[in-house]
Every structure is written in structure tokens, then in C-alpha cells.
Amino acid sequence: MTISDVQLHKNIVDELAYLSDINAKNIGISVKNGIVTLTNTVNSWTEKIAVDNAIKKIAGVKGIANELEIDIPSLHKRNDTDIVEVAVRQLEWDVAVPDKKIQIEVEKGVLTLTGKVEWAFQKRAAEEAVENIFGVKKIINRIEVAPLVSNKQIKEDIEKSLERKAHIEASKIKVETQGNKVILRGNVGSWLLREEAEKAAWMAPGVSLVENYIVVP
């Protein structure tokens, strides 16, 4: 069933209003041909990501242009030194993060992560560990994943993972590898399935980058 832009806009507004961790009153939403554009402001980086994740799960969404700015309330503002100190502690406390291999830099509220890890989940875990810190306006994750296996092995591991997931039509997805970069092409029935295919690619050992060109008709 095709969902009109008008109906899709209503569904997005209703979903954001339903979620308790999102204050949708300042969020501008426009929809054209299934592409959602978000404008205006939210109070934190966490809220910006939460909005993005919520909209991805709505049927009929083909893409999102997230242009939301972070307007941190004065009560939650921190200087860069304070943010770094909190971030260091957060990484130390997270058992999934090899904190000794990661460096943190903060400039005007923009937090950048660098270093090298062995698994993609460690790179994601590092970002998740710092994304709830008050005062952070943006996170740039430049942590590298060191390749552990051959291109052929990465490709085979991802293809087998897709085949094990009954809800994903693996035959419609083509997996390519270039070094430790994975490229996904093909088409699936929903944005959520597209995201699931990408997650499967990220789980393969040695993957440092996934380019997802899967189309949602």
C-alpha cells in the first residue's frame, strides 16, 4: 500500500508526540516523495539521534535529511574540559570499549573520537558511551577498525548472516567488499529491513565502513 506524503507527515507527528524521550514541539517536519526533512532545534545530541531512529521505523519513509540543530539549555551547558573528563570516565566504565586505544577531543561542544579497535561493535560502543553527555552538540567518530580477515571471508560471513534472517530477502541483496569496506546494493520492502541488512554487515569481523545503497521501493 502506498502512503501519501500527507499521511506520512501525520504518522511522523503522531509517533514523535507519542515518545516520552522526545520533545517534538520545536521540530520542523516536511515530507516529499517519502523523503523526510527535519529542521529547527532539539535540546541534545541524544534527542537528535532518537528522532532519527524513530522516523526510520515508520512505514513509507524512504530517506531522512536530519538538519536539526542542538540548542542546549543553559542548565546543561558544560565547557570543553568538563566534557572531556566525563567522556574519559564513560569510556573507562564501559566494558565493551578498549578505552586505552581511544582518544577524545572536544572543541566548542563537538566531541571527536579517534584511535584503532579490532571490531566494529567496539567503535559503536565508544560512541554510545559518550552520546548521553550533557553539553555535547555533535559526535564525530573517526575510530578505525583494523581488518582481521580477508575480503572474501568478510563477504561470505555477511551473506550467510543475511541468509539466516528469514525476514530479509537475502537473494535481493548484493554484498561487495573493498578492503574492510562493505557495499550493499539491492532492494528490500521497508526502511527497517534496510537497516537490519546494514547491521548484519557491521557485525562481520574486520568491517570498518558500510555503504548502504539498498533501495526501498
Side-chain angles (χ1 to χ4, degrees), residues 31-204:
V31 182
K32 184 176 181 180
N33 298 326
I35 306 298
V36 181
T37 300
L38 304 172
T39 56
N40 296 343
T41 63
V42 288
N43 291 334
S44 69
W45 176 257
T46 305
E47 190 172 5
K48 178 175 180 176
I49 299 303
V51 171
D52 200 80
N53 289 338
I55 293 175
K56 283 180 181 177
K57 298 175 182 178
I58 298 175
V61 173
K62 295 182 179 180
I64 302 172
N66 193 337
E67 299 175 3
L68 289 169
E69 299 289 336
I70 312 298
D71 184 16
I72 299 173
S74 56
L75 180 65
H76 294 156
K77 287 183 178 178
R78 279 180 167 143
N79 63 41
D80 291 344
T81 301
D82 290 341
I83 293 173
V84 171
E85 291 174 351
V86 175
V88 168
R89 291 197 298 270
Q90 293 291 91
L91 294 183
E92 290 175 343
W93 292 338
D94 195 321
V95 295
V97 179
D99 57 284
K100 304 300 183 185
K101 298 181 179 180
I102 297 172
Q103 294 79 47
I104 304 165
E105 180 181 344
V106 179
E107 182 176 355
K108 296 180 180 179
V110 178
L111 189 154
T112 302
L113 298 170
T114 56
K116 289 186 178 182
V117 295
E118 296 179 352
W119 295 82
F121 81 83
Q122 294 171 326
K123 176 177 179 175
R124 292 196 303 274
E127 182 171 338
E128 290 170 356
V130 299
E131 66 183 10
N132 291 319
I133 297 174
F134 288 137
V136 173
K137 296 180 179 179
K138 183 178 181 180
I139 297 174
I140 301 173
N141 192 341
R142 292 179 177 158
I143 296 172
E144 298 179 35
V145 179
L148 300 177
V149 295
S150 67
N151 289 3
K152 181 180 179 182
Q153 188 62 54
I154 291 175
K155 184 176 187 296
E156 290 178 354
D157 288 345
I158 295 171
E159 289 174 341
K160 289 177 181 177
S161 177
L162 293 175
E163 289 169 1
R164 288 193 295 269
K165 294 173 172 55
H167 58 293
I168 296 178
E169 296 179 80
S171 62
K172 294 184 178 180
I173 299 174
K174 181 181 179 182
V175 180
E176 303 172 19
T177 55
Q178 296 176 3
N180 54 348
K181 178 174 74 174
V182 175
I183 302 170
L184 301 176
R185 304 183 192 277
N187 61 82
V188 293
S190 72
W191 185 269
L192 185 59
L193 290 178
R194 181 182 187 273
E195 192 174 63
E196 285 296 315
E198 182 172 329
K199 287 180 180 178
W202 275 116
M203 290 301 293

